[in-house]
Amino acid sequence: MNQNRIPVAGPSITQREIDYVTDAVTTCWYGEANKYHAKFEQAFAEYIGVRHAVSLPSCTSAIHLSLAALGVGPGDEVIVPDVTWIASAAPISYVGATAVFADIDERSWCLSPQSFETCITKNTKAVIVVDLYGSMPEMARIREIAARHGIAVVEDAAEAFGSQIGDRMAGSFGDTGVFSFHGSKTMTTGEGGMLVTDRDDLFERACFLRDHGRVPGDVNFFNHEVAFKYKMSSMQAALGLAQVERAEELVGRKREIFSWYEASLAALPGVSLNATLPGTTNSYWMSTIVLDSSIGLDKVEFGRALAARGVDTRPFFHPLSSIPAYQHDAEAAKARTRNVASYQLSPCGVNLPCGLSLTREQADFVCDQVRAVLAECGISAAVSEAA
Ligand SMILES: *Cc1c(COP(=O)(O)O)cnc(C)c1O
């Protein structure tokens, strides 16, 4: 293991974060325990442009809570894009519903509206739309299709903090929107998540379900339903407040990192970087490179070659229908033949280092290593330098 390998992700922590967390751990107990939650939730809701935000221990719990609050359960089907992190889909199983894996659109890397519509049956109760690597799908079409069929929309914006369609923020397009503050994400609380919504009924139901089925403010241990315990600590909320106050800076940094890669790599033949539809402003959580299959280098070989040169990467998400977790799943079997774009795009992509502390020099080094690996495959760097 090369100790100096450039890491694929990582946060930006300043004195502000340290001060808020220190204050939280020192003072936020007993009656003061929720001081930072309230501030964090309000600042986050304001940034996203929604009425309600509920801070949670993870994005996975935010998706679980969304489905539970929407009343999704056994016998229901929930549509999810095939190419995403398993956290987008796993909560469908938690509530006893069936995951249906729709194809992605190669122009956005996100849910294909056409495939979404094809997957709808009389049992479809919800769709989980995923903003992959900061990109966003054709949201207007997806919302129109969902509305026409009476299907609820959960927007998984875990990877799209700061992305926009027009001037509307990612996470604000569904009945609920969900975010992750895992250490690898654009803004972090170490571990953590957020559920946002404009719907009062879903907000109230989520607040009730996340605290063991008691009414907010209850001090009499009087539980009305068997539910869940999904909360973050005040130390995490304090960290989150500091991070969301720096949202423009953090997102700006991600965009800058992508611009370095774009300037250096986009013109290489057979190479494409993050797909973004016109009208979408991508926040580039992960700068991602996809090689044309004609180059003959899959993501595992590509990642291994870059690792040998001191560059840490991650493979493009595998289609969920292809991984062992869904090996014996009947819906996954259908998806394997249906989802052509998912199976075309996923095998040859890797995420490049884009931690928030990445320097221009490190990005240049990464680009040099990418060129060197491609040169070994007969793809000439000279082409892009001339371009
Ligand atoms: C990171 C991520 C999640 C899960 O977030 P956790 O906070 O780890 O639960 C969910 N969906 C997507 C698309 C993610 O990238």
Side-chain angles (χ1 to χ4, degrees), residues 168 282 297 338:
R168 190 163 164 184
N282 199 320
L297 195 64
R338 177 178 57 218

Side-chain angles (χ1 to χ4, degrees), residues 303-356:
R304 208 176 280 145
L306 288 171
R309 295 170 166 276
V311 176
D312 199 13
T313 62
R314 289 290 180 277
F316 208 97
F317 292 125
H318 315 290
L320 294 172
S321 60
S322 73
I323 57 177
Y326 292 102
Q327 192 176 359
H328 303 295
D329 183 277
E331 282 300 328
K334 289 187 231 166
R336 273 173 227 134
T337 50
R338 177 178 57 218
N339 296 342
V340 175
S342 297
Y343 279 81
Q344 219 152 45
L345 195 64
S346 165
C348 300
V350 303
N351 308 128
L352 296 173
C354 43
L356 288 158

Side-chain angles (χ1 to χ4, degrees), residues 135-199:
S135 185
M136 297 177 73
E138 271 180 275
M139 211 60 96
R141 268 185 77 193
I142 290 171
R143 281 159 50 97
E144 182 277 314
I145 295 165
R148 185 150 39 83
H149 293 269
I151 294 168
V153 177
V154 175
E155 184 187 359
D156 181 349
E159 303 181 359
F161 177 73
S163 292
Q164 293 171 239
I165 294 178
D167 53 15
R168 190 163 164 184
M169 304 300 289
S172 69
F173 288 88
D175 291 277
T176 70
V178 297
F179 292 87
S180 171
F181 309 130
H182 178 259
S184 67
K185 297 291 171 20
T186 299
M187 69 152 277
T188 187
T189 62
E191 293 280 1
M194 193 76 86
L195 183 160
V196 301
T197 184
D198 278 326
R199 281 180 54 177

Side-chain angles (χ1 to χ4, degrees), residues 51-347:
R51 297 185 49 209
H52 305 292
V54 185
S55 57
L56 296 166
S58 65
C59 180
T60 306
S61 58
I63 298 171
H64 183 193
L65 210 48
S66 294
L67 295 176
L70 287 164
V72 177
D76 296 332
E77 292 171 3
V78 179
I79 295 170
V80 63
D82 205 348
V83 179
T84 180
W85 175 230
I86 194 170
S88 304
I92 300 167
S93 300
Y94 302 172
V95 298
T98 300
V100 176
F101 307 99
D103 204 1
I104 57 172
D105 180 339
E106 71 274 6
R107 297 169 310 132
S108 68
W109 296 359
C110 299
L111 181 67
S112 150
Q114 226 163 343
S115 182
F116 166 41
E117 189 150 28
T118 307
C119 290
I120 294 171
T121 74
K122 64 179 185 350
N123 296 323
T124 308
K125 193 85 180 258
V127 59
I128 298 171
V129 179
V130 182
D131 301 329
L132 202 76
Y133 302 134
S135 185
M136 297 177 73
E138 271 180 275
M139 211 60 96
R141 268 185 77 193
I142 290 171
R143 281 159 50 97
E144 182 277 314
I145 295 165
R148 185 150 39 83
H149 293 269
I151 294 168
V153 177
V154 175
E155 184 187 359
D156 181 349
E159 303 181 359
F161 177 73
S163 292
Q164 293 171 239
I165 294 178
D167 53 15
R168 190 163 164 184
M169 304 300 289
S172 69
F173 288 88
D175 291 277
T176 70
V178 297
F179 292 87
S180 171
F181 309 130
H182 178 259
S184 67
K185 297 291 171 20
T186 299
M187 69 152 277
T188 187
T189 62
E191 293 280 1
M194 193 76 86
L195 183 160
V196 301
T197 184
D198 278 326
R199 281 180 54 177
D200 295 340
D201 59 331
L202 291 178
F203 171 65
E204 280 160 26
R205 185 75 183 144
C207 290
F208 174 81
L209 288 174
R210 67 92 158 249
D211 192 16
H212 283 311
R214 57 181 186 161
V215 179
D218 166 65
V219 289
N220 292 318
F221 305 133
F222 205 71
N223 311 84
H224 297 265
E225 283 178 46
V226 176
F228 319 109
K229 173 63 193 295
Y230 282 156
K231 290 183 172 183
M232 65 165 52
S233 73
S234 55
M235 285 83 86
Q236 289 167 298
L239 183 47
L241 177 64
Q243 292 263 286
V244 78
E245 286 175 354
R246 296 177 54 223
E248 298 300 338
E249 180 193 343
L250 300 177
V251 173
R253 188 93 191 132
K254 285 288 188 186
R255 292 199 174 120
E256 185 178 27
I257 290 168
F258 178 78
S259 75
W260 296 337
Y261 287 128
E262 188 180 38
S264 180
L265 300 174
L268 280 168
V271 163
S272 45
L273 302 177
N274 298 54
T276 308
L277 291 172
T280 298
T281 312
N282 199 320
S283 58
Y284 299 111
W285 169 56
M286 282 278 175
S287 291
T288 301
I289 177 170
V290 175
L291 305 182
D292 195 277
S293 59
S294 65
I295 294 174
L297 195 64
D298 75 24
K299 59 189 172 187
V300 177
E301 296 165 325
F302 192 23
R304 208 176 280 145
L306 288 171
R309 295 170 166 276
V311 176
D312 199 13
T313 62
R314 289 290 180 277
F316 208 97
F317 292 125
H318 315 290
L320 294 172
S321 60
S322 73
I323 57 177
Y326 292 102
Q327 192 176 359
H328 303 295
D329 183 277
E331 282 300 328
K334 289 187 231 166
R336 273 173 227 134
T337 50
R338 177 178 57 218
N339 296 342
V340 175
S342 297
Y343 279 81
Q344 219 152 45
L345 195 64
S346 165

